[in-house]
Amino acid sequence: MPLVAGVDSSTQSCKVVVRDAETGTLVRQGRAAHPDGTEVDPTAWWSALRTAVDAAGGLADVAAVSVAGQQHGMVCLDEAGEVVRPALLWNDTRSAGAAAELIEEAGAGEAGRRFWADAVGSVPVASFTATKLRWLARNEPANAERVAAVCLPHDWLTWRLAGAPGLDTLRTDRSDASGTGYWSPATGEYRFDLLEQAFGRRLRVPTVLGPAEAAGHLDPAALAGAGTSAAGPGTAASGAALSGAGGALLGPGAGDNAAAGFGVGARLGDVVVSIGTSGTVFSVADSPAADPSGIVAGFADATGRFLPLVATLNAARVLDAAAGLLRVGLDELAELALSASPGADGLVMVPYLEGERTPNRPDATGSVHGLTLRTSTPAHLARAAVEGMLCALADGLDALAAQGAVVRRVILVGGGARSAAVRRIAPQVFGYPVVVPPPGEYVADGAARQAAWLALGGSEPPSWTPAGTEEYAAVPVPAIRERYAQARERHLDRPAQG
Ligand SMILES: Nc1ncnc2c1ncn2[C@@H]1O[C@H](COP(=O)(O)OP(=O)(O)O)[C@@H](O)[C@H]1O
Ligand SMILES: O=C(CO)[C@@H](O)[C@H](O)COP(=O)(O)O
């Protein structure tokens, strides 16, 4: 049985799974932490990937590897293939002004937003790579001057696995290209004019591969630490991808949300809600989305189709923060939340702890409304944190449905789905039955399934079905969302130096 590997280089950690290509059976796995912060030196992701690969028993026996990763992050490389500055991540809001400028340049108000939605499927917010390039050009001209190529976290890791054989061999896939702001899911082509508008000049960008197209071969020396450190990225010394003489096939990879959708096998009528560092709500669609309100991003998926998606900046870490405030662990937080009644007797948490992207409020802070003597308890606060985070995602569910998504059930994934409170309260807030696959790494699994498709060949990917899903149903409680809708309009912005 051939083995394949999938990598999830996400915001908080790197996870590697090794699975049987034909059956999908998990053979071994590993993980390693990423540093905190909204700008990160990509070499930290490379170290974490190597540690996670080691923990997963290495890749010497796998036939193919694919890397999925956090979307949007700006990795800038110089002519020699060296990283120019730490990557600005999807949750870094410093380019919010640049996003507003880019929209304004395309037309006032609705016209500007409509232009971007039509051109690249999404209206830029600070998360999108194009806005980060504009920020770099305006704020760090010396760094900007050195940039020869721009790519995304998963593109860069795939390239390093290939031995970093030169900027012309950078590869990406449709799903991650669709989060840049300069590639159109509808036409499948780069919009170099928009890249140039954002940055002021043209840059080299990765070639966009189809769902089961190989990005080259794994350079065994890259993981052994010989080739890349001795020769350095961008040199010709370690060129397995070019020669085809290396180890396992490298898949095109994917953005982490597209990989999760592929990993759980989402079908028409399924909406996936992922509660990781980001909260995302998305479905698989046959045609591209173009929402001029900017709420739904019109991404591409990992199978050749499309992935309309709503993303929030505040998800699992809202629970981490609430647990920290209450000085309890995450399991105790869930118990506390479930011990309070639905609606927390009117206590509402608006969870804009990192500012927010949807709605677009990069400078907002979180708030708690409805404090009374009765609601001033740990249980009420725990419940309000879970409900507030879920209400923000439920708004995303509405937006997706308004764009034509069919919603029959919600598939809940991500670290936050491990919370018993999230699983049980979600159907009350969403108003749909919620299916929770067994705890697992669905982004890494999606990448592994892509690698299996590559290794086995054929026009369709192998069908791996997660066994043992649990279904949660509950009577919807609309009052939770009604009160949240009042509260979310009332928040303070960050103090000037916040
Ligand atoms: N039992 C749990 N209850 C609530 N949150 C959890 C639980 N287990 C993990 N998490 C949270 O999940 C998050 C990590 O989820 P993950 O999907 O791996 O994130 P990312 O992909 O963004 O790195 C962390 O913030 C962690 O606290
Ligand atoms: O910005 C988005 C989607 O547009 C985020 O979903 C990132 O892709 C980060 O994902 P996680 O690390 O939270 O899984």
Side-chain angles (χ1 to χ4, degrees):
M1 295 297 136
L3 297 181
V4 289
V7 177
D8 173 16
S9 177
S10 68
T11 313
Q12 296 190 48
S13 60
C14 182
K15 306 126 190 180
V16 174
V17 298
V18 175
R19 289 186 176 269
D20 180 298
E22 273 155 22
T23 63
T25 305
L26 181 66
V27 177
R28 44 186 212 259
Q29 59 186 322
R31 66 185 294 145
H34 283 163
D36 275 341
T38 61
E39 67 165 48
V40 171
D41 181 346
T43 57
W45 301 329
W46 178 244
S47 308
L49 188 147
R50 290 171 57 111
T51 307
V53 163
D54 274 353
L59 299 181
D61 55 352
V62 305
V65 190
S66 276
V67 183
Q70 52 175 312
Q71 295 185 244
H72 312 298
M74 177 185 70
V75 180
C76 289
L77 303 176
D78 68 12
E79 205 53 64
E82 297 293 344
V83 171
V84 170
R85 77 175 312 289
L88 297 185
L89 306 196
W90 62 279
N91 53 356
D92 188 291
T93 52
R94 78 186 74 178
S95 58
E101 262 173 42
L102 287 169
I103 297 168
E104 186 67 26
E105 285 165 17
E110 166 78 15
R113 291 198 300 274
R114 165 62 67 192
F115 169 85
W116 282 94
D118 289 344
V120 291
S122 305
V123 181
V125 287
S127 295
F128 284 73
T129 327
T131 73
K132 299 177 190 303
L133 285 170
R134 165 63 67 89
W135 181 91
L136 186 69
R138 293 275 194 274
N139 294 279
E140 295 183 353
N143 280 336
E145 185 67 26
R146 287 179 53 213
V147 180
V150 60
C151 64
L152 298 166
H154 108 254
D155 314 342
W156 184 76
L157 288 169
T158 305
W159 185 69
R160 291 295 307 255
L161 285 172
L167 297 181
D168 289 342
T169 61
L170 282 165
R171 300 286 183 265
T172 191
D173 86 304
R174 293 172 67 251
S175 67
D176 232 6
S178 65
T180 57
Y182 43 83
W183 185 82
S184 163
T187 65
E189 284 170 1
Y190 276 110
R191 289 289 307 255
F192 286 108
D193 56 328
L194 299 180
L195 172 57
E196 206 170 322
Q197 183 190 339
F199 192 61
R201 67 185 164 88
R202 208 155 152 161
L203 291 171
R204 264 186 268 187
V205 287
T207 303
V208 183
L209 300 174
E213 260 186 274
H217 285 80
L218 175 69
D219 179 358
L223 280 177
T228 53
S229 57
T235 69
S238 51
L242 289 178
S243 67
L249 279 171
L250 289 171
D256 55 1
N257 292 294
F262 194 51
V264 295
R267 295 188 304 256
L268 192 70
D270 292 338
V271 170
V272 179
V273 173
S274 168
I275 301 177
T277 316
S278 63
T280 55
V281 183
F282 57 91
S283 61
V284 174
D286 287 323
S287 51
D291 173 13
S293 79
I295 295 174
V296 177
F299 294 154
D301 86 336
T303 68
R305 292 188 286 169
F306 302 92
L307 198 85
L309 177 147
V310 180
T312 68
L313 295 188
N314 297 286
R317 278 177 170 163
V318 174
L319 307 185
D320 295 337
L325 271 176
L326 296 173
R327 297 173 190 244
V328 296
L330 290 166
D331 289 344
E332 204 183 332
L333 183 83
E335 276 169 36
L336 281 169
L338 288 169
S339 72
S341 34
D345 296 312
L347 193 74
V348 180
M349 181 185 287
V350 180
Y352 299 157
L353 307 190
E354 295 232 70
E356 190 43 272
R357 160 176 169 180
T358 319
N360 187 18
R361 294 177 187 169
D363 299 321
T365 59
S367 43
V368 177
H369 301 265
L371 274 172
T372 62
L373 289 177
R374 184 173 178 212
T375 60
S376 301
T377 73
H380 285 88
L381 189 70
R383 180 117 200 165
V386 174
E387 289 181 348
M389 179 200 68
L390 289 171
C391 281
L393 294 169
D395 287 348
L397 202 53
D398 285 353
L400 211 60
Q403 285 290 305
V406 183
V407 191
R408 292 207 190 90
R409 60 176 193 167
V410 168
I411 302 178
L412 205 57
V413 295
R418 293 178 197 242
S419 158
V422 168
R423 294 197 296 264
R424 287 181 46 198
I425 297 171
Q428 292 178 341
V429 174
F430 293 160
Y432 295 102
V434 168
V435 170
V436 186
E441 299 301 343
Y442 288 98
V443 175
D445 289 348
R449 188 170 172 226
Q450 184 191 65
W453 192 2
L454 208 68
L456 299 175
S459 57
E460 293 296 321
S463 54
W464 298 353
T465 355
T469 52
E470 288 180 5
E471 184 157 335
Y472 293 79
V475 177
V477 186
I480 302 174
R481 291 194 59 197
E482 284 159 16
R483 196 160 163 86
Y484 175 83
Q486 289 174 20
R488 88 179 153 219
E489 303 310 323
R490 300 171 191 171
H491 62 267
L492 293 175
D493 279 348
R494 268 157 216 274
Q497 291 305 312

